[in-house]
Amino acid sequence: MSSPQAACWSQGTPVCTQVASPEAKEEEDKIGDVSAKCQVSHGQCNSFSLGNEQSHSQLSALSWKDITSALSLANMVLGLFSIFCSFSRKSQCASWMLLISFLLDTLIGTMTRHLHICSKLGAELNDFAIFTTFGLASALLLGVDGPLNGFLAIIYVLATSFRLCFCPTGGTPVSKGLPCPYASCVLASTSLLTKGNTFILCCMASLLILFMIDQSYYPHDEILESESWKKAVFLGGVILLFFSPFSLTAFYCLLWSLSYIFFPDALWGKAICFRL
């Protein structure tokens, strides 16, 4: 009896039969396992790299939040030192602390806006630092020797509280009422120039209270994010603060603050008007 392979050959149909050996099959299985492992390991590497990038960005954002919170805490500590100096009847030292806080507050605001830092804890800490430094510490420059000075200091603190509670900025390019740091800068500069004359300080504080509770709009100066001359103004204040006498620094900061108070749109609101 003929075999099936012989029958096919006899009919003219070519038949090619390959039978895989057990050794070749094992090698193919091994190659498939290796390729599958490589694909899995490659996917794990991709996911690991993505996870590293996300964790790095989160750590970077967290670190900048910590830095801004630390600066706000330093601002509050300066305010507490100013309060201590006022109780110790060292008005020059107290005014010096307030001028440093004024420049530091500008830096904190710039970092928060530029890095898009949004932290509830940081915002609350910054508000508390502003109230302590530019509210309590600034009001104590008026002195608490007499009833009139004490009453005016209380009104100044209440005006600062009103400014923080009922006139929030909320990310808008303008704010209602004179910002507290500029009012504090005016008081500190006046205290340095007049050697702590309480009568002049009380007159100046009465005007600043009206400016703070007023509903007029003041633009955000954004000194470090605007024109070059504004950056030069800030840099000049920093240089004079640490390398010049008290009188020159106080006169410079007083002119800076008064220019913002009386010419908010003509000088400090120009870039914002263009952006709007």
Side-chain angles (χ1 to χ4, degrees):
M1 185 173 74
S2 62
S3 62
Q5 187 174 1
C8 290
W9 284 345
S10 63
Q11 294 177 3
T13 304
V15 176
C16 183
T17 306
Q18 294 181 355
V19 179
S21 63
E23 292 80 2
K25 189 173 182 181
E26 290 179 359
E27 291 180 358
E28 291 179 357
D29 293 339
K30 290 180 180 179
I31 293 173
D33 294 338
V34 171
S35 62
K37 291 180 180 179
C38 289
Q39 292 178 358
V40 172
S41 62
H42 184 66
Q44 291 177 351
C45 290
N46 289 335
S47 61
F48 182 72
S49 62
L50 291 175
N52 282 338
E53 291 178 358
Q54 292 178 356
S55 61
H56 180 70
S57 61
Q58 291 176 357
L59 287 175
S60 178
L62 183 62
S63 62
W64 283 115
K65 286 182 181 179
D66 293 337
I67 290 174
T68 54
S69 299
L71 291 177
S72 298
L73 184 61
N75 197 353
M76 184 174 63
V77 171
L78 288 173
L80 293 175
F81 271 113
S82 178
I83 292 173
F84 176 77
C85 292
S86 296
F87 279 119
S88 301
R89 298 183 182 277
K90 297 179 180 179
S91 60
Q92 286 191 349
C93 183
S95 303
W96 179 263
M97 295 295 175
L98 292 178
L99 290 182
I100 297 176
S101 298
F102 170 71
L103 297 175
L104 186 60
D105 180 76
T106 303
L107 182 61
I108 293 172
T110 301
M111 292 178 61
T112 304
R113 290 188 297 267
H114 183 69
L115 299 174
H116 304 286
I117 296 176
C118 182
S119 175
K120 183 179 179 181
L121 178 61
E124 292 178 352
L125 182 61
N126 187 50
D127 289 342
F128 189 70
I130 290 176
F131 175 76
T132 303
T133 304
F134 304 123
L136 291 176
S138 301
L140 287 177
L141 291 179
L142 306 177
V144 290
D145 296 335
L148 180 60
N149 295 348
F151 178 75
L152 190 59
I154 293 174
I155 297 299
Y156 189 91
V157 173
L158 292 178
T160 305
S161 303
F162 174 83
R163 174 70 179 76
L164 290 175
C165 295
F166 300 102
C167 301
T169 57
T172 59
V174 294
S175 58
K176 288 184 178 181
L178 178 66
C180 304
Y182 282 95
S184 176
C185 183
V186 171
L187 280 183
S189 301
T190 305
S191 177
L192 288 173
L193 291 174
T194 61
K195 299 185 183 301
N197 191 312
T198 55
F199 177 76
I200 298 177
L201 286 175
C202 289
C203 294
M204 189 68 70
S206 301
L207 293 176
L208 293 175
I209 289 172
L210 296 178
F211 280 117
M212 283 193 291
I213 64 177
D214 188 19
Q215 296 299 302
S216 299
Y217 288 96
Y218 287 86
H220 292 174
D221 48 9
E222 299 183 359
I223 294 175
L224 298 179
E225 306 164 77
S226 188
E227 292 91 341
S228 300
W229 70 269
K230 293 182 181 180
K231 299 176 183 179
V233 169
F234 178 82
L235 184 60
V238 173
I239 294 174
L240 291 177
L241 190 65
F242 292 100
F243 300 103
S244 67
F246 288 109
S247 57
L248 183 59
T249 303
F251 184 73
Y252 182 87
C253 293
L254 182 62
L255 287 181
W256 178 0
S257 302
L258 291 179
S259 67
Y260 178 80
I261 294 174
F262 293 105
F263 307 102
D265 295 326
L267 291 177
W268 302 98
K270 186 176 179 180
I272 294 175
C273 292
F274 282 150
R275 284 200 298 271
L276 289 176

